[in-house]
Amino acid sequence: MFRTTTNGELTLSNLNEEVTLSGWVQTIRDKGFMIWIDLRDRYGITQLVFDEDRSSKELFEQAKKLGREFVIQVKGTVIERASKNPKIPTGEVEILVKELTVLNESLLPPFTIEDQTDGGEELRMKYRYLDIRRNPVKEKLIFRHKMAQKVRNYLSEKDFIEVETPVLIKSTPEGARDFVVPSRMNPGQFYALPQSPQTFKQLLMVAGMDRYFQIVKCFRDEDLRADRQPEFTQIDCEMSFVEQEDVLEIFEGLAKHLLKDITGKNFDQFPRMTYDDAMKTYGNDKPDIRFGMQFVELNELVKGKDFKIFDDADLVVGINVEGCADYTRKQIDGLIDWVKRPQVGASGMVWVKYQNDGILTSSVNKFYNEEDLQKIAEKFNAKPGDLMLVMSGETNKVRTQLSALRMELGNQLGLRKGDEFAPLWVIDFPLLEWDEETGRYHAMHHPFTSPKPEDIELLSTDPGKARANAYDMVLNGNEIGGGSVRIYNKELQSTMFDLLGFSKEEAEAQFGFLMNAFKYGAPPHAGLAFGFDRFVAILDGNEVIRDYIAFPKNNSGRDVMIDAPSPIHQDQLDELELKLNLK
Amino acid sequence: MFRTTTNGELTLSNLNEEVTLSGWVQTIRDKGFMIWIDLRDRYGITQLVFDEDRSSKELFEQAKKLGREFVIQVKGTVIERASKNPKIPTGEVEILVKELTVLNESLLPPFTIEDQTDGGEELRMKYRYLDIRRNPVKEKLIFRHKMAQKVRNYLSEKDFIEVETPVLIKSTPEGARDFVVPSRMNPGQFYALPQSPQTFKQLLMVAGMDRYFQIVKCFRDEDLRADRQPEFTQIDCEMSFVEQEDVLEIFEGLAKHLLKDITGKNFDQFPRMTYDDAMKTYGNDKPDIRFGMQFVELNELVKGKDFKIFDDADLVVGINVEGCADYTRKQIDGLIDWVKRPQVGASGMVWVKYQNDGILTSSVNKFYNEEDLQKIAEKFNAKPGDLMLVMSGETNKVRTQLSALRMELGNQLGLRKGDEFAPLWVIDFPLLEWDEETGRYHAMHHPFTSPKPEDIELLSTDPGKARANAYDMVLNGNEIGGGSVRIYNKELQSTMFDLLGFSKEEAEAQFGFLMNAFKYGAPPHAGLAFGFDRFVAILDGNEVIRDYIAFPKNNSGRDVMIDAPSPIHQDQLDELELKLNLK
């Protein structure tokens, strides 16, 4: 037996017990006549003591040879510590060691195994198995496990059945790029890895499963952006005989259940915001409503004052940054430079200060007099001490730019607190979006998403205005889940395909399989999928999803630890009847 | 709202309530003046009634037009049935319908949606979404879900952490064939899909996770045999600071927990049998011990009696089939033909009957007299009425053949009862197996499996005799899980690689990555993996794993429902910088 107890358990109540412990050597303090060792395992730290008086000479010499991260087993007696450590549960006791076995030695790790390590990200990724030994990383993986358990138990209690859908499926040309898997048994043919189990979950509804969920790996061969992973995990859900309201209720319940568990607080009904309002008020369909700075539109106040930039703009819009009127010229220039960076792409920004002495001044004093500024300040509901920042341009662009600035200020001013949670439903998304490049409509969610019943008429008159029964759950400025009510009516589906520019043949080729299943009695159904990696990160007060994945890939889709992807043997290619065709 | 209640809930206590129900039309009984419809959903069946007297003419006409598997919504009143059906929970009531909405029509399904259907397997696979509507299929998927939930909750309570390991990993030449995934971002390079998370779970132990599990998809590109799937699910587990005994205890606990849930019974400690004993007594390393017919070796009794076949054989071995002495010549010939089939490959079989009148007779009376047969019968512990069947040949072959016969007789005689569970540990597997073809040893489990400490010396003297700290859990004649204690000592590992014929360079190339991790303080660890698909099937009293997979592939690895794999577009190949190279 390697241990009688773990390193997180012993207290004064175990005094004088003979115990066996195993673990890693975390730290060694060698005072010459006495050696203290912190022994670590997943459960905690226990202090070991060796001393010249009470330990045998051999044992003491043996202890002197230990190094950091050695794996050892000790037998000894639980004694009371002279100087106690109230920060850890085992801090009142230590083990007077009688027997020491080195189970395995360790090379010196390439970075310290401490909460604050000296290792850079690249190095820690390469030695991920050492990084996971550090508390902050280990705790994130344990947190993820606990959340997954809670999700599963909650949904199971609500009669959802977890069904495993296949990973080796069929490539479909729509949507993002598929990863494909050549089939040796069927040369020239390929499986694809699922971007989501969308088709299968709708089939399970046709199959009468009624309530389905799955915590499932999905795959997308995208050009990776920061913090995107080629494989990611979804909580995928679908329900039959429901309307939008039923879906919102169930999954709001799930989110509340998790939030309650984390914060100890009961959350009220989540606010709901239409897509149009979100865009108008936050410039963003996933607003962080933990803080204010709502958009204020100024067209009627600022136009016709000979300031050409505003006169030419579709939209002049700003935010009021409370208490920041004392920003220096340099600070404001910093913000202007920030919005001018190519990632944001604004051409400039106007500021209006409501000084503490009540005087209003601005970067456009030439065009707007005190009275004009007064009206603007009123519109912003600004008070002395506030700083108003105003941008202008094409409506969608300027909203996106101002939204980026708002989030940046939220971060700079510490308004985006990790332990504060502001959930929100964004609803009434547009059904379609116009794609300039192809000159046709695309489904904003997917082609099976149902329009709002009252907007069905718009499909023949002004389809771009039609809203969908689609919804996103937003938490702290991140879309953590989204879904829609599906079309189950053949005629409506056929209208949708027409709108999306599919010929009957194309629709058949791409969706024929699901449409065929729908001929055998498809129930009304609706669903939602959460991005589990992101959901977990945000629930843990964080935004970097990579930290919540045990073995993540880097931004080029590479696992630097195992060095994958990598070349394969020629006979593997031969068996698959494939040839490299490198450019 | 599509329903106020499901179809499995209403009883006499709901009498006179106004309800809304939705579901599929299961059956229609049209008596002319009265129509009864069974409305079905996942939860049950509710009977609807329309009649000329109490229903409006329109409604009645509407009901007449319904067809099987139409999806409908009805509103009506709960009334008491005239003729009750005690077999279903809702059998005392019916719904007098007031309003009927057809939510979706249905084509006539290609097979009946009944417990006993008229559809062949091929057809049901193609229309799997209709097959799942049938109770026996649906119930199996729900059973699978419940078992997965129980496994997760049990292991979580025992401090196991579920960690998701990556699906896009690196191809390794050892073991079965990998499925590979070309990387577009890294042309000419490939990911592989995991055959198991073996490396990652061992890394998680190096990472200090202590107790890991995962219910996880694994992939093997094998030439498929009956009831093998290219993607399958494992309960994958690993523990640190444990010995074999700890692992057996934990996972026996898990199995008992599931068995208790299913049978209501507490199971005693599982019997343990060494590999050698299993082979000697059952000819098989996964014996079904629900029934007897243990092997009896007869060499000492039958040799030297001029019966050349037995004289030439390495092993003469038989089983006693109780109460089958009255088998006719035809029945016995049937068994002899059965063992001579190429799948079994025996050249013949000898029988000895202990007739009810106490007389012993055999197919080899020429060579063995009554006294000889008496001795044989005694060795078998046979009684009047029993039939002894004896085979001979090369030891391993004859054991395999006799084992096949034993299982066949178990099936024929109804001794393999689905609701009876006989779990068993098979332990002390050989560490190595000799491969005639390559003239070298292979690791029977895998190259990281630890020999039994007392057999380490054999590695240098007689490696083929060394036993491993490896174990299988066997249930009703199926291996449902297996694992081993891993080597964590560098020198021992290096001895193993030598034995397996790896040069230092080869060992480095194939396992260097894990060996490198082991340099940083690997703890003693051990693990086990259950084949979840099979485990679930057997727990449900079944053996066909395909029935427990929502969307299985056929024996050519094809999903006939979605028609995958399939050709992909030329531009997908171009992007991957690949070319077909069809023979």
Side-chain angles (χ1 to χ4, degrees):
Chain A
M1 191 187 282
F2 283 105
R3 61 188 176 197
T4 54
T5 172
T6 71
N7 290 313
E9 291 173 60
L10 296 172
T11 64
L12 282 177
S13 70
N14 304 96
L15 229 49
N16 300 320
E17 284 178 18
E18 300 296 309
V19 295
T20 305
L21 293 172
S22 290
W24 285 263
V25 172
Q26 169 82 19
T27 53
I28 306 171
R29 271 162 302 142
D30 186 343
K31 296 277 173 197
F33 58 95
M34 216 154 181
I35 301 169
W36 285 277
I37 286 178
D38 277 353
L39 187 65
R40 186 197 69 232
D41 62 15
R42 189 184 109 198
Y43 311 93
I45 290 219
T46 299
Q47 182 166 294
L48 311 178
V49 60
F50 304 79
D51 79 22
E52 281 187 333
D53 293 342
R54 292 176 290 176
S55 306
S56 76
K57 200 174 167 194
E58 272 163 303
L59 180 65
F60 199 70
E61 286 308 309
Q62 218 189 339
K64 275 197 175 298
K65 287 186 200 133
L66 293 176
R68 262 171 49 205
E69 300 304 316
F70 276 36
V71 185
I72 62 172
Q73 182 191 41
V74 295
K75 295 184 183 187
T77 316
V78 182
I79 59 174
E80 188 166 359
R81 277 204 210 183
S83 81
K84 300 196 169 55
N85 177 354
K87 286 184 200 150
I88 59 171
T90 61
E92 297 193 299
V93 297
E94 60 190 1
I95 309 300
L96 180 62
V97 177
K98 292 178 178 163
E99 227 183 291
L100 165 65
T101 311
V102 175
L103 297 172
N104 241 333
E105 299 187 350
S106 173
L107 296 182
L108 198 68
F111 49 86
T112 56
I113 310 297
E114 303 280 353
D115 291 4
Q116 299 295 330
T117 180
D118 56 354
E121 182 161 6
E122 190 103 350
L123 195 64
R124 287 186 289 114
M125 289 275 272
K126 188 164 154 61
Y127 293 91
R128 183 71 172 166
Y129 47 87
L130 297 179
D131 202 24
I132 295 174
R133 287 188 191 165
R134 300 193 308 114
N135 278 322
V137 183
K138 178 190 77 184
E139 294 302 339
K140 286 183 174 68
L141 297 181
I142 294 176
F143 180 79
R144 180 186 177 110
H145 161 68
K146 286 189 178 153
M147 286 302 111
Q149 274 294 106
K150 281 187 194 301
V151 168
R152 285 197 162 95
N153 286 329
Y154 184 87
L155 292 176
S156 298
E157 271 166 36
K158 301 278 178 201
D159 273 336
F160 284 80
I161 303 293
E162 185 162 21
V163 179
E164 292 178 53
T165 54
V167 176
L168 297 172
I169 64 165
K170 184 174 176 156
S171 190
T172 50
E174 273 291 291
R177 230 182 253 105
D178 286 324
F179 281 107
V180 296
V181 182
S183 165
R184 182 181 54 87
M185 305 253 281
N186 306 273
Q189 301 191 15
F190 294 75
Y191 301 101
L193 303 180
Q195 296 182 30
S196 88
Q198 184 66 33
T199 311
F200 289 96
K201 72 175 173 176
Q202 293 196 245
L203 285 174
L204 285 169
M205 295 303 104
V206 177
M209 284 306 283
D210 207 79
R211 292 183 162 204
Y212 145 90
F213 84 103
Q214 189 181 188
I215 301 189
V216 60
K217 276 279 173 76
C218 301
F219 306 86
R220 226 166 267 180
D221 183 13
E222 289 178 303
D223 298 319
L224 299 172
R225 283 180 276 157
D227 219 27
R228 279 275 174 126
Q229 293 282 323
E231 54 178 297
F232 54 97
T233 304
Q234 270 187 202
I235 310 173
D236 192 48
C237 308
E238 196 81 7
M239 305 167 75
S240 289
F241 301 113
V242 290
E243 290 162 337
Q244 173 167 314
E245 193 57 37
D246 303 294
V247 179
L248 299 193
E249 197 183 308
I250 279 277
F251 295 104
E252 182 167 323
L254 170 64
K256 280 178 181 168
H257 177 72
L258 301 178
L259 285 166
K260 165 88 198 232
D261 188 74
I262 292 162
T263 64
K265 284 181 219 151
N266 287 311
F267 277 68
D268 291 334
Q269 207 196 331
F270 292 1
R272 295 181 187 187
M273 194 181 291
T274 65
Y275 172 87
D276 283 347
D277 283 348
M279 294 307 289
K280 208 173 148 73
T281 319
Y282 295 97
N284 198 311
D285 61 1
K286 42 180 198 286
D288 188 341
I289 59 168
R290 277 176 299 185
F291 61 103
M293 298 194 221
Q294 282 94 341
F295 288 13
V296 174
E297 300 192 348
L298 301 169
N299 284 20
E300 74 224 45
L301 293 181
V302 299
K303 294 225 174 199
K305 302 277 179 174
D306 291 338
F307 183 42
K308 195 166 172 344
I309 292 176
F310 282 1
D311 284 348
D312 290 351
D314 291 335
L315 177 67
V316 181
V317 58
I319 53 176
N320 181 40
V321 193
E322 286 183 18
C324 289
D326 54 358
Y327 266 32
T328 62
R329 183 75 212 201
K330 201 174 150 199
Q331 281 177 297
I332 292 180
D333 282 350
L335 292 176
I336 294 173
D337 287 346
W338 194 89
V339 298
K340 282 172 147 180
R341 296 179 323 147
Q343 295 94 316
V344 182
S347 50
M349 184 163 66
V350 163
W351 55 263
V352 181
K353 277 185 182 179
Y354 204 150
Q355 293 176 184
N356 282 317
D357 57 12
I359 292 171
L360 279 154
T361 178
S362 82
S363 58
V364 285
N365 279 348
K366 236 193 287 183
F367 305 99
Y368 302 94
N369 60 27
E370 178 103 29
E371 195 186 332
D372 295 329
L373 295 182
Q374 192 61 49
K375 281 185 189 151
I376 290 174
E378 268 166 35
K379 183 99 192 197
F380 271 113
N381 250 326
K383 322 170 297 297
D386 290 354
L387 171 69
M388 289 153 271
L389 298 171
V390 182
M391 294 167 80
S392 62
E394 188 274 317
T395 303
N396 287 335
K397 268 192 197 149
V398 70
R399 281 177 171 166
T400 304
Q401 292 161 353
L402 187 60
S403 169
L405 176 66
R406 176 178 174 274
M407 292 297 269
E408 171 65 14
L409 283 165
N411 285 328
Q412 286 188 11
L413 299 169
L415 304 173
R416 307 191 63 215
K417 298 191 181 98
D419 58 352
E420 204 174 284
F421 295 98
L424 167 75
W425 285 110
V426 176
I427 56 173
D428 295 356
F429 276 81
L431 182 67
L432 304 164
E433 54 186 348
W434 182 256
D435 185 40
E436 291 292 347
E437 211 173 303
T438 56
R440 64 180 181 98
Y441 284 113
H442 277 291
M444 189 135 174
H445 192 69
H446 65 55
F448 297 100
T449 294
S450 170
K452 291 190 93 65
E454 61 269 34
D455 287 5
I456 287 179
E457 273 182 36
L458 285 171
L459 296 184
S460 48
T461 56
D462 193 355
K465 284 247 168 6
R467 293 162 306 160
N469 266 335
Y471 32 80
D472 277 358
M473 191 188 283
V474 172
L475 184 57
N476 295 0
N478 290 275
E479 179 208 325
I480 52 166
S484 70
V485 176
R486 325 300 183 187
I487 298 173
Y488 64 97
N489 171 295
K490 272 195 292 279
E491 289 72 38
L492 185 54
Q493 188 63 63
S494 151
T495 308
M496 268 299 277
F497 284 145
D498 287 349
L499 274 173
L500 296 171
F502 289 104
S503 68
K504 286 250 174 315
E505 293 68 33
E506 285 168 331
E508 174 60 30
Q510 291 196 22
F511 307 107
F513 165 64
L514 187 57
M515 294 317 292
N516 203 43
F518 276 19
K519 290 180 190 155
Y520 292 94
H525 59 293
L528 181 138
F530 290 97
F532 186 58
D533 310 292
R534 170 154 290 119
F535 197 5
V536 166
I538 293 166
L539 286 173
D540 202 28
N542 222 307
E543 289 196 338
V544 184
I545 69 170
R546 188 182 293 174
D547 292 350
Y548 292 82
I549 296 173
F551 299 101
K553 307 238 181 332
N554 75 7
N555 284 345
S556 344
R558 179 164 284 285
D559 183 328
V560 296
M561 183 184 72
I562 59 170
D563 192 28
S566 60
I568 55 173
H569 279 243
Q570 186 57 45
D571 28 330
Q572 283 178 287
L573 283 171
D574 291 344
E575 275 195 324
L576 296 170
E577 304 189 19
L578 281 178
K579 225 161 117 172
L580 298 185
N581 186 26
L582 301 179
K583 282 168 196 157
Chain B
M1 190 188 279
F2 282 104
R3 62 188 175 196
T4 53
T5 173
T6 69
N7 290 313
E9 291 173 60
L10 297 172
T11 63
L12 281 177
S13 70
N14 304 98
L15 229 51
N16 300 320
E17 285 178 18
E18 299 296 309
V19 295
T20 306
L21 294 173
S22 289
W24 285 263
V25 172
Q26 170 82 20
T27 53
I28 306 171
R29 272 163 300 141
D30 187 342
K31 297 276 174 199
F33 58 97
M34 217 156 181
I35 301 169
W36 285 279
I37 286 178
D38 277 355
L39 188 66
R40 185 196 70 232
D41 62 15
R42 188 183 110 201
Y43 311 94
I45 291 219
T46 300
Q47 181 166 294
L48 313 178
V49 62
F50 303 79
D51 78 23
E52 279 186 334
D53 293 342
R54 292 175 291 176
S55 307
S56 76
K57 201 177 164 191
E58 270 163 304
L59 181 62
F60 199 71
E61 287 308 311
Q62 218 189 338
K64 277 197 175 295
K65 288 188 200 131
L66 293 176
R68 264 170 48 205
E69 299 305 316
F70 276 37
V71 185
I72 63 171
Q73 181 191 41
V74 296
K75 296 184 183 186
T77 317
V78 182
I79 59 174
E80 189 166 1
R81 277 206 211 181
S83 81
K84 299 194 168 59
N85 177 355
K87 287 184 197 149
I88 59 171
T90 62
E92 296 192 299
V93 297
E94 60 190 1
I95 309 300
L96 180 63
V97 177
K98 292 179 180 163
E99 225 182 294
L100 165 66
T101 311
V102 175
L103 298 171
N104 240 332
E105 299 185 351
S106 172
L107 296 182
L108 197 69
F111 49 85
T112 55
I113 311 297
E114 303 281 352
D115 291 6
Q116 299 296 329
T117 181
D118 57 354
E121 183 161 3
E122 190 103 349
L123 194 65
R124 286 187 290 116
M125 290 275 274
K126 189 165 154 62
Y127 294 91
R128 183 70 172 167
Y129 47 87
L130 297 181
D131 202 25
I132 295 173
R133 286 189 191 164
R134 299 192 310 115
N135 278 322
V137 183
K138 179 190 77 183
E139 294 303 338
K140 285 182 174 68
L141 298 180
I142 294 176
F143 180 80
R144 181 186 177 110
H145 161 68
K146 286 188 179 154
M147 287 300 113
Q149 274 296 104
K150 282 188 192 300
V151 168
R152 285 197 161 97
N153 287 329
Y154 183 89
L155 292 175
S156 298
E157 270 166 36
K158 301 277 179 202
D159 273 335
F160 284 79
I161 303 294
E162 184 162 22
V163 179
E164 292 178 54
T165 54
V167 176
L168 296 171
I169 66 165
K170 187 175 176 155
S171 189
T172 50
E174 274 291 293
R177 233 182 251 106
D178 286 325
F179 281 108
V180 296
V181 182
S183 165
R184 183 181 55 87
M185 306 254 280
N186 306 273
Q189 300 190 17
F190 294 75
Y191 302 100
L193 303 181
Q195 296 182 30
S196 88
Q198 183 66 33
T199 311
F200 289 95
K201 73 175 174 176
Q202 292 196 245
L203 286 173
L204 285 169
M205 294 305 103
V206 177
M209 283 305 283
D210 207 78
R211 290 182 164 205
Y212 144 89
F213 84 102
Q214 190 182 189
I215 300 189
V216 60
K217 276 279 174 74
C218 301
F219 306 86
R220 227 166 267 179
D221 183 12
E222 290 177 303
D223 298 318
L224 299 172
R225 283 179 277 156
D227 218 27
R228 278 276 175 124
Q229 292 282 323
E231 54 178 298
F232 55 96
T233 304
Q234 270 186 200
I235 310 173
D236 192 48
C237 308
E238 196 80 8
M239 306 168 74
S240 289
F241 300 115
V242 289
E243 290 162 337
Q244 173 167 314
E245 193 55 38
D246 304 294
V247 179
L248 299 195
E249 196 184 309
I250 278 278
F251 295 104
E252 182 166 322
L254 170 64
K256 280 178 182 167
H257 177 71
L258 301 179
L259 285 167
K260 164 89 197 232
D261 189 71
I262 292 161
T263 64
K265 284 181 220 152
N266 286 310
F267 278 69
D268 291 334
Q269 206 195 332
F270 292 0
R272 296 182 188 184
M273 194 183 290
T274 65
Y275 172 87
D276 283 347
D277 282 348
M279 294 307 290
K280 208 173 150 73
T281 318
Y282 295 97
N284 197 311
D285 62 2
K286 42 181 198 285
D288 188 340
I289 58 168
R290 279 177 297 185
F291 62 102
M293 297 194 221
Q294 282 95 342
F295 288 13
V296 174
E297 301 192 348
L298 302 169
N299 285 21
E300 74 224 45
L301 294 182
V302 299
K303 294 225 173 200
K305 302 278 179 173
D306 292 337
F307 182 42
K308 195 166 173 343
I309 293 176
F310 282 1
D311 283 348
D312 290 350
D314 292 334
L315 177 67
V316 181
V317 58
I319 53 177
N320 181 40
V321 193
E322 287 182 18
C324 289
D326 55 358
Y327 265 32
T328 62
R329 182 74 212 200
K330 202 176 149 197
Q331 281 177 297
I332 292 181
D333 282 350
L335 292 175
I336 293 174
D337 287 346
W338 193 89
V339 299
K340 281 173 149 180
R341 297 180 322 146
Q343 297 94 316
V344 182
S347 50
M349 184 164 65
V350 163
W351 54 264
V352 181
K353 278 185 182 178
Y354 204 150
Q355 293 177 185
N356 283 315
D357 57 12
I359 293 172
L360 280 152
T361 180
S362 81
S363 57
V364 284
N365 280 345
K366 237 192 288 181
F367 306 101
Y368 303 94
N369 60 26
E370 177 102 29
E371 194 186 332
D372 296 328
L373 296 180
Q374 192 61 50
K375 281 185 190 152
I376 291 173
E378 269 166 33
K379 183 100 193 201
F380 272 113
N381 250 324
K383 323 171 293 298
D386 291 353
L387 171 69
M388 290 154 269
L389 298 172
V390 182
M391 295 168 78
S392 62
E394 188 274 315
T395 302
N396 288 335
K397 268 193 198 151
V398 69
R399 281 178 172 166
T400 304
Q401 291 160 354
L402 187 61
S403 169
L405 176 66
R406 177 179 173 271
M407 293 297 270
E408 171 65 14
L409 283 165
N411 285 328
Q412 286 188 13
L413 299 169
L415 304 173
R416 306 191 63 213
K417 299 194 180 94
D419 59 350
E420 202 176 286
F421 296 100
L424 167 76
W425 286 108
V426 176
I427 56 173
D428 295 358
F429 276 81
L431 183 66
L432 305 164
E433 54 186 347
W434 182 257
D435 185 39
E436 292 292 346
E437 211 174 300
T438 57
R440 64 181 182 99
Y441 284 113
H442 277 291
M444 189 135 173
H445 192 68
H446 64 56
F448 297 100
T449 294
S450 171
K452 292 190 91 65
E454 61 268 35
D455 287 4
I456 287 179
E457 272 182 38
L458 285 172
L459 296 185
S460 47
T461 57
D462 192 355
K465 283 246 167 6
R467 294 162 306 162
N469 266 333
Y471 32 80
D472 277 358
M473 191 188 282
V474 172
L475 185 56
N476 294 1
N478 290 275
E479 179 208 326
I480 53 167
S484 69
V485 176
R486 325 299 183 187
I487 298 172
Y488 64 96
N489 171 294
K490 273 195 291 281
E491 289 73 35
L492 185 54
Q493 188 64 62
S494 149
T495 308
M496 267 298 278
F497 284 144
D498 287 349
L499 275 173
L500 296 171
F502 289 104
S503 68
K504 285 250 174 314
E505 293 68 34
E506 285 167 333
E508 174 61 31
Q510 291 194 22
F511 308 108
F513 164 64
L514 187 57
M515 294 316 292
N516 205 43
F518 275 20
K519 290 179 189 154
Y520 292 94
H525 58 294
L528 180 138
F530 290 97
F532 186 58
D533 309 291
R534 171 155 289 118
F535 196 4
V536 167
I538 293 166
L539 286 173
D540 204 26
N542 221 307
E543 289 196 338
V544 184
I545 69 170
R546 188 183 291 172
D547 292 350
Y548 292 83
I549 297 174
F551 300 101
K553 308 244 184 324
N554 74 8
N555 283 345
S556 344
R558 180 164 284 283
D559 184 328
V560 295
M561 183 185 71
I562 59 171
D563 192 29
S566 59
I568 56 174
H569 278 244
Q570 187 57 45
D571 29 329
Q572 284 178 288
L573 283 171
D574 291 345
E575 277 196 324
L576 296 170
E577 304 189 19
L578 282 179
K579 227 161 115 172
L580 298 186
N581 185 28
L582 302 180
K583 282 169 197 156

